[in-house]
Amino acid sequence: MQKVPTFSKGGVHPDDKKVFSRSQSIERLPMPSELIVALSQHLGAPAKALKAKGDTVLKGEKIGESAGFISSDVHSPVNGVIKEVRRVNLANSVQCDAFVIVPDAEQPDQESVELDWKEQSSADLLAKIKDLGIVGMGGATFPAHVKFTVPRDKKVEAFVVNGVECEPYLTADYRIMLEKGEQALEGAMICAKITGARRVIVGIEMNKPDCISHLQEIVKQKGYPIEIVGLKVKYPQGDEKQLLKATIQREIPSGKLPLDVGAVVANIGTCNAIYEAIVLGKSLYERVISVTGECIANPKNILAPVGTKVSDLLAFCGGFSSEPEKLVSGGPMMGFSFFDLETPITKGSSGLLALPPQKKVRTTPCLNCGRCVAACPIGLMPARLYRLIDNGRYEEAMQTSLMDCKECGCCSYVCPAHLPLVHTMKTGKKLGRKKK
């Protein structure tokens, strides 16, 4: 039997809990009474505000301009009026300015004319992606135009599409592959043209056989030179390093990027957004988000405007079926816990989870069992890093490859002592950077 591709080191196998929302088709959210559109919903510098209180805005209009090389434009999701500009706290604890927009009663459809991307140059395609505010939709929100800019001394051999969605509960990418697969694959072909990639590969975990067969059928019908690769179900299969190891058998060295091994990686949702940007001229002002978990009355996959408040998403799903202990933005392994229901979603909001009370556990001293070492997909020694950081030896932790930690949560997941390993790694990175 042929071995199912996967990465070689570590990994864990949490219950995927996708049953709650995987069968729910994407539904458009009814227009909320107001939207809170943050100016920092991408990695890098916050966008510079182009509008002020009292200004009218149009759907798709640029209202925030990128303020640096690593930054991204922000666009209005609706026709409406800016009620105010205020500071907000996002789910990932970022504080930034945001436009509070009151939508007009009538929201006409945005006019779009399908364009032939094959007739456009790579430079023009890249410029359009920048102008329309496309960022990574898998959660990292790295500006796409920066990622797809290939230095002259580099060559891209493989453009790898991340259709893994290995985080438990989340099903937004799954539904995109089933319902918007043709558009997403065309988006991947656009990305291949921009980067000059010789191969296009889509990696999907084997717990999504319907997605694999559906995309294979599209590839066959369209004649796309795209490889659909089924991958072993193992977390964190969707991380760039692990995905490249599984699909093209290349390891990214410490401190390097996929470009250094001849690859560029993008999420399947990003490919769909790029299709909409290039072919339909649509800026990134809405996204699919999974609202799910044991405490959600009616879990759904929702197409919602960027800036939608969590309270509006919950109301559309019928509220809570039982009182949650925790709300999480993103997945349970790498997401962010928050409490304010007025928190707005951003371009990177892949999921909203309402989780039930968990069994109370007691933290004990490290048992030196080595489980965290065995689970770490990067090959680090989490227990040693934990001790260094806990004792304030931040510089030594940095020298022990702390910055290679992906904060994937595998070590915390398997730790029998229930040590706050990931939280400590995050703290160590912040304090270690300050010491430099």
Side-chain angles (χ1 to χ4, degrees):
M1 291 180 64
Q2 187 176 3
K3 190 175 180 181
V4 179
T6 188
F7 56 95
S8 52
K9 301 173 185 174
V12 294
H13 299 270
D15 183 350
D16 72 16
K17 305 236 180 199
K18 297 181 186 290
V19 66
F20 297 109
S21 59
R22 68 178 296 151
S23 62
Q24 301 301 312
S25 298
I26 298 170
E27 297 181 56
R28 180 176 288 278
L29 181 76
M31 186 57 65
S33 59
E34 71 174 20
L35 299 169
I36 304 174
V37 183
L39 286 169
S40 182
Q41 47 184 308
H42 49 263
L43 196 67
K48 177 184 175 183
L50 298 178
K51 297 285 185 177
K53 180 180 177 179
D55 287 350
T56 59
V57 293
L58 300 176
K59 181 186 288 188
E61 179 184 5
K62 185 187 295 186
I63 58 176
E65 187 172 47
S66 62
F69 177 63
I70 300 180
S71 186
S72 183
D73 294 339
V74 174
H75 300 76
S76 174
V78 292
N79 291 3
V81 178
I82 296 177
K83 176 182 172 183
E84 62 175 315
V85 181
R86 71 167 186 245
R87 297 289 286 180
V88 296
N89 291 315
L90 302 180
N92 59 359
S93 299
V94 168
Q95 292 185 333
C96 66
D97 290 335
F99 294 113
V100 180
I101 303 175
V102 178
D104 293 343
E106 296 292 326
Q107 293 290 327
D109 292 333
Q110 189 177 14
E111 292 184 14
S112 62
V113 178
E114 292 201 17
L115 301 176
D116 187 356
W117 57 270
K118 296 174 185 175
E119 301 298 320
Q120 302 178 55
S121 69
S122 297
D124 288 343
L125 294 172
L126 194 62
K128 187 173 287 187
I129 285 173
K130 180 182 185 300
D131 289 342
L132 296 177
I134 309 302
V135 302
M137 305 283 280
T141 63
F142 196 85
H145 69 277
V146 179
K147 179 180 278 194
F148 294 166
T149 300
V150 182
R152 291 185 178 180
D153 61 334
K154 305 284 186 186
K155 282 191 176 181
V156 178
E157 295 179 29
F159 180 78
V160 181
V161 181
N162 183 355
V164 174
E165 199 168 43
C166 58
E167 277 264 20
Y169 291 99
L170 304 185
T171 55
D173 287 351
Y174 170 77
R175 296 310 311 183
I176 286 173
M177 285 187 281
L178 286 181
E179 299 180 45
K180 301 173 182 284
E182 189 171 324
Q183 297 95 306
L185 290 182
E186 189 168 347
M189 294 299 298
I190 295 171
C191 296
K193 177 171 181 176
I194 294 171
T195 59
R198 300 172 188 173
R199 298 174 63 192
V200 182
I201 304 165
V202 182
I204 307 173
E205 279 190 327
M206 296 293 283
N207 61 354
K208 306 174 187 68
D210 45 354
C211 286
I212 294 173
S213 59
H214 179 58
L215 296 190
Q216 284 175 336
E217 185 61 31
I218 295 171
V219 166
K220 184 178 177 181
Q221 290 176 358
K222 294 288 185 179
Y224 289 147
I226 298 178
E227 305 165 46
I228 309 297
V229 180
L231 304 175
K232 185 175 180 178
V233 181
K234 183 167 68 164
Y235 179 86
Q237 191 78 257
D239 178 80
E240 282 188 339
K241 285 194 173 185
Q242 279 60 58
L243 184 59
L244 291 182
K245 178 64 177 176
T247 54
I248 63 173
Q249 294 76 52
R250 295 189 183 180
E251 290 194 21
I252 304 173
S254 176
K256 299 294 184 180
L257 299 170
L259 268 175
D260 294 300
V261 296
V264 172
V265 179
N267 173 264
I268 192 77
T270 309
C271 292
N272 181 63
I274 286 172
Y275 166 85
E276 293 182 342
I278 298 300
V279 178
L280 306 179
K282 178 182 172 183
S283 55
L284 182 49
Y285 56 73
E286 61 184 5
R287 69 153 298 140
V288 179
I289 177 171
S290 299
V291 182
T292 181
E294 289 88 345
C295 297
I296 297 292
N298 300 298
K300 296 178 184 288
N301 294 293
I302 303 172
L303 180 61
V306 165
T308 298
K309 294 184 288 189
V310 166
S311 57
D312 290 321
L313 291 171
L314 292 173
F316 187 52
C317 294
F320 299 128
S321 58
S322 60
E323 189 65 27
E325 180 180 70
K326 184 180 293 186
L327 291 176
V328 175
S329 175
M333 299 295 282
M334 294 187 70
F336 302 93
S337 178
F338 70 102
F339 65 91
D340 187 359
L341 298 185
E342 298 300 289
T343 300
I345 68 168
T346 67
K347 297 177 184 180
S349 300
S350 55
L352 168 61
L353 311 183
L355 304 181
Q358 303 295 305
K359 181 181 177 182
K360 302 302 179 185
V361 296
R362 184 170 62 92
T363 299
T364 69
C366 177
L367 306 178
N368 293 313
C369 64
R371 291 185 187 179
C372 60
V373 178
C376 180
I378 306 297
L380 303 179
M381 301 181 68
R384 172 169 168 72
L385 288 168
Y386 174 81
R387 283 192 288 268
L388 290 173
I389 296 165
D390 198 41
N391 285 286
R393 294 157 66 181
Y394 307 118
E395 293 180 14
E396 193 174 342
M398 297 288 275
Q399 294 167 4
T400 314
S401 303
L402 173 61
M403 293 307 294
D404 285 341
C405 172
K406 306 289 277 189
E407 302 172 15
C408 66
C410 287
C411 54
S412 293
Y413 183 79
V414 300
C415 179
H418 306 293
L419 297 173
L421 295 172
V422 175
H423 176 75
T424 302
M425 304 297 175
K426 291 180 180 180
T427 303
K429 286 182 183 181
K430 290 178 182 177
L431 296 177
R433 290 190 194 104
K434 289 182 179 179
K435 288 283 185 179
K436 281 192 172 183

